[in-house]
Amino acid sequence: MSKTKIVILGAGYGGLKTLKKLQHENLDAELVLVNKNDYHHETTWLHEAAAGTLDPEKLIYPIEKVVDSKKSTFIQDTVVKINRDEKTVTLQNEGEISYDYLLIALGSEAETFGIPGLKEYALTITSIDSVKKIRARIEEQFAKWKTEQKDELLTIIVGGAGFTGIEFLGELTNRMPELVKTYDIPREKVRIICMEAAPKVLPQFDAKLVDYGVSVLEDRGVEFFVGKPVKEATADGVKFADNETETKEIKAGTIIWAAGVRGNSVIEESGFEAGRGRVKVNNNLTVPGNEEILIIGDCSLIINPENERPYPPTAQIAMQQADVATVNLAKLAKGETDLINFEYHEKGTVCSLGDNDAIGVVFGKNLKGYPASVMKKVIDDRALLQIGGLNIMAKKGKFKFYK
Ligand code: FAD
Ligand code: NAD
């Protein structure tokens, strides 16, 4: 009889952590991991590479460092579709692979809400390739200014003042002194504009923390357009609603779209019942009607019982879900049916404002400034340690704790 086959899709926070832990279970099962790249990337650090404050090499490590080849097989390929009736997954190059149990952890994609022009003209902070494009675009535009002298080349518009938008602005404004020096540009010619549809920046935090974060970024030259949703992106810039009746336009050389995410498109293409690409999973992380499939991370949706609203998709949740997915996949492989339920334990949230500054709430306590930025580095290093291990953390970790 062939061994039970567990297939894991995605080697991010959720998928790679589950594989690592399952390898320790010593199951009599075949473990297969599929990921489009042969490296794991720290999604939570992508904004740094986008702004050019961190070399992209620093936020990736080879998946083979985690895969134990005696227990698991790694397939580098792109998942195209999940065929639930056949219990197979279609891969771009390898064709179809079968599974007995499947874990989907394919992360997210940028949510464009159908706004015209975004797919064509805006860049997103979603992968190593996409953030390399952002860095190159800004540098290209700054280099062009010398010969073309068009000031809009120096305008950067960031759509969305959520966590990703704010963290990117923190890094970008930290890099700006070096950028203007390199390209010999007067600083006052550079415009960095953040457009936010909601009446408030980062509504998750209380007003004092938000005011601190906004004033830090404003002091570094960011202009906030709050309550002004982006309506269209064009080859020349952005159209936005200035008020209920009026639309205005700003010309810009670079447009970054950081206004939310949706679950990986593979979910909807495979016919799962989903909202914005996220499947409302059972408490034990299985899919209603397909209990041989578990979904974790940004492709899953879990309701917060305290307010009946979905938890925002975060690495913190994906990693906690990985712990439960490990237990449940091990039980399923052993033929046990008493699966355990997932319960989220919020430890806190920190939003960086560049390397030395941040705002956050940790274990219920508000933090801002340098102590918050130290906490953010500790959180980043912890993820490296838990998934990559001690050597990876020693090599890639953030240890510059001095101001
Ligand atoms: P990911 O970790 O994104 O992994 C998905 C994996 O699937 C990747 O390896 C990808 O290459 C692979 N993949 C995707 N599509 C395919 C395909 N078709 N075929 C094969 N492989 C595929 N959360 C926090 O808790 N704290 C933070 O500080 C934080 N900071 C963030 C900063 C930024 C800039 C961003 C963008 C997000 C941040 N988040 C943060 C959110 C967090 O990164 C995500 O919630 C988390 O990465 C989700 O984990 P995951 O395992 O679902 O997906
Ligand atoms: P988000 O949903 O947190 O924020 C998106 C922002 O874009 C919102 O404020 C929204 O009002 C705004 N927006 C939407 N449509 C708009 C429009 N047309 N014009 C202008 N603004 C518009 O999304 P995100 O920042 O992309 O983050 C994605 C997920 O990753 C979230 O769950 C977040 O919590 C998580 N994350 C966490 C951290 C952290 O913990 N440090 C960092 C980055 C991301």
Side-chain angles (χ1 to χ4, degrees):
M1 219 175 78
S2 62
K3 279 188 181 179
T4 300
K5 186 169 171 188
I6 300 175
V7 174
I8 298 176
L9 307 180
Y13 293 102
L16 198 56
K17 187 175 183 200
T18 306
L19 178 86
K20 180 170 178 162
K21 294 191 78 173
L22 270 180
Q23 289 177 159
H24 290 134
E25 294 282 323
N26 289 318
L27 296 171
D28 185 26
E30 190 186 342
L31 302 178
V32 177
L33 172 70
V34 181
N35 196 69
K36 60 163 71 149
N37 304 305
D38 60 0
Y39 56 79
H40 160 90
H41 67 255
E42 295 296 312
T43 305
T44 61
W45 305 14
L46 282 173
H47 57 289
E48 299 176 48
T53 49
L54 190 72
D55 181 341
E57 279 301 312
K58 215 40 198 168
L59 59 105
I60 63 173
Y61 57 83
I63 287 170
E64 65 174 30
K65 297 270 179 212
V66 176
V67 173
D68 176 346
S69 58
K70 289 190 232 67
K71 295 176 179 166
S72 313
T73 310
F74 170 57
I75 302 176
Q76 184 187 348
D77 210 335
T78 298
V79 177
V80 178
K81 200 169 173 226
I82 295 148
N83 314 297
R84 281 175 287 169
D85 291 344
E86 294 81 15
K87 288 174 102 180
T88 62
V89 177
T90 308
L91 304 180
Q92 202 169 65
N93 300 319
E94 295 250 342
E96 301 205 343
I97 58 164
S98 64
Y99 63 82
D100 294 305
Y101 298 104
L102 183 70
L103 177 73
I104 305 175
L106 289 168
S108 55
E109 296 172 5
E111 172 63 280
T112 58
F113 306 104
I115 296 171
L118 284 176
K119 287 210 167 106
E120 295 85 344
Y121 303 114
L123 301 168
T124 60
I125 304 176
T126 39
S127 67
I128 294 292
D129 287 346
S130 79
V131 296
K132 281 183 179 167
K133 281 188 193 148
I134 292 176
R135 181 182 180 157
R137 172 83 183 179
I138 294 169
E139 290 174 2
E140 229 172 68
Q141 300 297 88
F142 277 41
K144 255 202 233 169
W145 181 81
K146 208 70 203 149
T147 48
E148 296 185 18
Q149 297 279 313
K150 283 193 206 146
D151 287 354
E152 60 262 34
L153 292 169
L154 305 179
T155 298
I156 300 165
I157 294 180
V158 176
F163 281 91
T164 303
I166 295 292
E167 290 200 327
F168 173 70
L169 288 164
E171 296 297 326
L172 182 67
T173 50
N174 268 0
R175 187 167 176 231
M176 207 39 76
E178 175 237 305
L179 266 175
V180 292
K181 196 167 165 221
T182 306
Y183 295 99
D184 194 19
I185 290 167
R187 173 64 184 88
E188 63 280 7
K189 293 265 180 208
V190 177
R191 282 188 85 185
I192 303 172
I193 299 168
C194 179
M195 288 190 183
E196 169 54 52
K200 209 176 149 211
V201 167
L202 285 180
Q204 297 85 342
F205 290 135
D206 76 25
K208 273 191 193 154
L209 286 180
V210 174
D211 289 348
Y212 175 83
V214 167
S215 70
V216 164
L217 293 175
E218 281 179 340
D219 287 350
R220 296 191 209 148
V222 176
E223 299 168 54
F224 281 96
F225 286 29
V226 175
K228 302 201 186 295
V230 170
K231 292 291 183 193
E232 190 180 342
T234 66
D236 303 323
V238 149
K239 291 182 184 162
F240 66 97
D242 194 39
N243 53 46
E244 274 176 21
T245 51
E246 238 182 315
T247 300
K248 282 192 176 164
E249 192 170 356
I250 295 192
K251 289 194 183 303
T254 306
I255 307 165
I256 316 290
W257 189 243
V261 294
R262 57 187 293 116
N264 195 300
S265 50
V266 166
I267 293 289
E268 282 173 348
E269 261 140 47
S270 307
F272 285 92
E273 198 183 321
R276 290 176 63 184
R278 299 173 75 192
V279 177
K280 189 163 179 263
V281 288
N282 295 320
N283 290 337
N284 57 22
L285 305 177
T286 59
V287 174
N290 285 99
E291 278 75 13
E292 70 288 0
I293 303 179
L294 283 77
I295 305 186
I296 62 174
D298 289 1
C299 294
S300 71
L301 187 144
I302 306 254
I303 300 291
N304 179 348
E306 277 171 26
N307 57 17
E308 295 299 320
R309 291 169 59 101
Y311 285 116
T314 64
Q316 194 181 165
I317 294 187
M319 289 174 69
Q320 289 185 28
Q321 287 176 319
D323 297 339
V324 172
T326 305
V327 173
N328 286 346
L329 284 166
K331 280 179 180 284
L332 288 168
K334 288 186 259 182
E336 296 168 13
T337 52
D338 57 332
L339 304 193
I340 62 167
N341 286 339
F342 173 74
E343 217 178 287
Y344 177 50
H345 301 283
E346 159 95 55
K347 301 215 164 81
T349 309
V350 183
C351 178
S352 65
L353 304 166
D355 190 46
N356 284 323
D357 214 336
I359 50 176
V361 181
V362 179
F363 293 117
K365 212 172 159 258
N366 280 0
L367 280 182
K368 63 177 198 248
Y370 175 67
S373 78
V374 170
M375 186 52 75
K376 182 80 173 76
K377 288 176 189 162
V378 171
I379 296 168
D380 288 351
D381 289 343
R382 190 168 168 266
L384 279 180
L385 177 68
Q386 286 195 357
I387 303 176
L390 199 57
N391 281 345
I392 298 286
M393 187 187 71
K395 231 166 137 183
K396 308 271 175 176
K398 296 178 177 173
F399 302 112
K400 207 183 108 214
F401 291 121
Y402 51 87
K403 272 197 220 193

